[in-house]
C-alpha cells in the first residue's frame, strides 16, 4: 500500500474538506427580542473590583476620574454598551447595610468584608456613588438587597430612599445627602445565593422569607413597576426552582435567578491556572460552559409548568469562568487573567442566551473589573481590555435585536472519547433591518468551515470582525495591551442563499449581512 504524506497546507485543506458543519438561519421566523440586559455586568465589593477598579477616590490626582470613578473605565464600558450593573454583591450583599454607605464619607462606619479577604471596608463607595456612577455609564442599576443579615424594614427603606419622589422620611434623608430627584431603580435582587452565603436557607424557608420581603417593597417606580428578582438555584438544583415557582405568587416575583460558573473543581487551589491550562482543563471548561444550554432548558421547563406565559424571567445573574487567582495575589480577591479560552467561553454562552431569549431576559457576567472573568483589568493608572471585553463589544449589535432561530449541525471537538460541538452560531435582526451572525469555533487546533443556509434572507453585502490568536493561552498584559484584539474578517462569502464561513481555531466572528 502506498503511504500518503500530507504537507501542513494539504492537512489544513483536508481538515476543512472533511468538515460537516451546517447551519440554517430562519430569517423569516424571528419572534423574540434578545434583551440588551443579557449583556449585563456585576460589581461586588470584592478584591479590586470597586476600589482600584471602578473607584479610585475623589482626591486621586494621578488617575483621571469624576467623583472618584475612573474615566478610562467609563469610556471602555460605554463603548461596550454596558446595559446594567449589579451591586453590591454577591455574598457581600447579604452583609451590607446600605445606611453605612450614605452621608459624609469621613463619618461612615468601617466594617469587615468577611467574605472577601477579611479586609476593612470603609464604605467610601456607597449608594450615591454607585447610582451616580450608573448615570455616568448610561447603565441601569441592579441593586441586590440584604436579606441574610438585614431586615424587611431596611430593604423597604432602601427602595424608598432611591425611588420615592414625594415627601417621606427616606426621600428627605436622600435630599439631605445631596440628591433631590430619585434615581428610579427598577431592578432589585431579594437576597443572593440564599441557599449558601445568603443564609444557608432551605428552599421552602426562603420562599416564605422572599414573600415577606417582596411584600414590603414599594413596587411603583416612576411611571412603571419595580422588577424583583428572587435568589435562584445553583447550577442544576432544579428542586430550588421548582419550590420557588410553586410557592411564590407571580405577582410578587418578576425574575428568578440562576448561577452557573465554568469551574474545574470547587476545591481550594484546584481550579487550574487562568493562563497555563492543559488540553484536558480547556476541554472541561468548555464542557462546563456549554452546560449552560441544558441548565437553562431544564430550569425553563420547570418555570413553564407554573408560568406558561413566561411572565417571570430567568435571570442568570452570575456566570463566567472561575480559575485559581494569579500567583502572588490575595486568594480572597479572585483576581485572574483572561485568555482566548475566556473569549470563546463568552461567545458560546452568549449564543446560548440568545437561543433562550424568550425566557432568559437578563444575565450578569462575573465580574466587571479585576475579579473572575473580568472585561477590564487595572494596574495603577493602566487599564487593559481582556479578550472577553472584545467579545462583548463585538456582540453588542445583538442588544435588543430580534433573535432569528438557528439550527446547527456541528463537527465534534474531541478529547479522547469525549466530544463537544465545535461550532456555535446565533443570529439577530436589528431595528434597522441589518442581520448579524455570531459564530464561535471552540476547537483550539482545528479550523472549521461552515455552510449556512439563509432562509428568507437575501444578503447583498457582508462585513465582519474576528477575535482570534495563534494560541488559546494568548492574553493581553500591561506590557502588551493588544496581543488579542478584533480585526476585520474576510473569511466569509455569500452566494445566493448560502453563506460560507471559514473559522480559524479558537475564534469568535461577528458578521453583518
Ligand atoms: O462572584 C463571586 C461570588 O460567587 C459571589 O459573591 C457569590 O454570589 C458567588 O458564589
Amino acid at each position: 500500500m502506498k503511504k500518503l504524506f500530507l504537507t501542513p497546507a494539504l492537512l489544513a485543506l483536508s481538515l476543512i474538506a472533511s468538515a460537516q458543519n451546517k447551519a440554517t438561519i430562519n430569517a423569516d421566523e424571528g419572534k423574540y427580542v434578545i434583551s440588551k440586559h443579557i449583556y449585563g455586568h456585576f460589581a461586588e465589593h470584592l478584591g479590586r473590583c470597586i476600589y482600584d477598579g471602578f473607584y479610585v477616590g475623589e482626591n486621586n490626582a494621578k488617575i483621571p476620574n469624576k467623583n472618584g470613578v475612573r474615566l478610562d473605565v467609563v469610556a471602555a464600558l460605554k463603548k461596550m454598551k454596558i446595559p446594567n450593573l449589579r451591586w453590591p454583591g454577591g455574598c457581600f450583599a447579604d452583609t451590607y447595610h446600605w445606611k453605612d454607605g450614605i452621608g459624609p464619607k469621613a463619618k461612615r462606619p468601617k466594617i469587615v468584608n468577611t467574605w472577601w479577604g477579611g479586609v476593612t471596608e470603609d464604605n467610601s463607595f456607597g449608594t450615591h456613588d454607585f447610582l451616580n456612577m450608573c448615570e455616568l455609564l448610561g447603565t441601569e442599576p441592579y441593586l441586590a438587597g440584604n436579606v441574610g443579615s438585614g431586615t424587611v424594614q431596611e430593604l423597604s427603606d432602601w427602595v424608598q430612599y432611591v425611588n420615592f419622589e414625594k415627601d417621606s422620611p427616606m426621600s428627605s434623608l436622600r435630599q439631605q445627602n445631596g440628591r433631590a430627584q430619585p434615581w428610579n431603580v427598577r431592578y432589585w435582587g431579594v437576597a443572593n445565593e440564599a441557599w449558601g452565603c445568603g443564609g444557608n436557607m432551605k428552599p421552602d424557608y426562603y420562599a416564605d422569607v422572599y414573600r415577606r420581603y417582596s411584600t414590603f417593597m414599594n413596587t411603583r417606580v416612576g411611571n412603571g413597576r419595580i422588577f424583583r428578582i428572587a435568589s435562584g438555584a445553583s447550577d442544576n438544583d432544579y428542586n430550588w426552582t421548582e419550590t420557588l415557582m410553586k410557592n411564590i405568587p407571580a405577582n410578587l416575583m418578576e425574575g428568578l435567578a440562576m448561577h452557573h460558573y465554568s469551574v474545574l473543581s470547587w476545591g481550594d487551589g484546584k481550579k487550574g491556572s487562568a493562563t497555563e491550562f492543559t488540553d484536558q482543563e480547556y476541554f472541561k471548561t468548555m464542557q462546563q460552559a456549554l452546560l449552560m444550554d441544558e441548565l437553562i432548558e431544564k430550569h425553563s421547563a420547570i418555570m413553564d409548568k407554573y408560568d406558561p406565559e413566561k411572565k417571570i424571567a430567568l435571570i442568570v445573574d452570575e456566570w463566567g469562568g472561575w480559575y485559581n487567582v494569579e500567583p502572588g495575589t490575595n486568594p480572597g480577591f479572585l483576581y485572574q487573567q483572561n485568555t482566548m479560552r475566556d473569549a470563546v467561553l463568552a461567545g458560546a454562552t452568549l449564543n446560548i442566551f440568545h437561543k433562550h431569549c424568550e425566557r432568559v431576559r437578563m444575565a450578569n457576567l462575573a465580574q466587571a473589573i479585576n475579579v473572575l472573568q473580568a472585561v477590564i483589568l487595572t494596574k495603577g493608572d493602566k487599564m487593559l481590555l481582556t479578550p472577553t471585553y472584545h467579545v462583548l463589544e463585538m456582540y453588542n449589535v445583538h442588544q435588543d435585536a430580534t433573535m432569528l432561530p438557528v439550527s446547527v449541525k456541528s463537527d465534534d471537538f474531541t478529547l479522547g472519547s469525549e466530544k463537544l460541538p465545535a461550532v456555535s452560531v446565533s443570529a439577530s435582526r436589528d431595528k434597522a433591518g441589518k442581520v448579524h451572525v455570531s459564530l464561535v469555533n471552540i476547537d483550539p487546533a482545528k479550523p472549521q468551515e461552515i455552510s449556512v443556509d439563509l432562509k428568507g434572507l437575501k444578503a447583498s453585502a457582508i462585513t465582519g470582525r474576528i477575535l482570534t490568536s495563534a494560541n488559546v493561552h494568548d492574553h493581553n498584559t500591561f506590557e502588551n495591551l493588544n496581543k488579542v484584539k478584533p480585526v476585520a474578517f474576510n473569511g466569509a462569502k455569500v452566494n445566493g442563499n448560502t453563506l460560507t464561513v471559514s473559522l480559524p481555531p479558537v475564534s469568535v466572528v461577528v458578521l453583518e449581512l
Side-chain angles (χ1 to χ4, degrees), residues 42 44 46 90-91 116 192-193 259 261 318 322 367 372:
F42 175 27
E44 181 164 10
L46 194 179
C91 294
W116 307 117
N192 168 71
E193 298 194 347
H259 291 177
Y261 284 100
E318 287 185 33
W322 190 327
Q367 296 193 8
L372 301 178

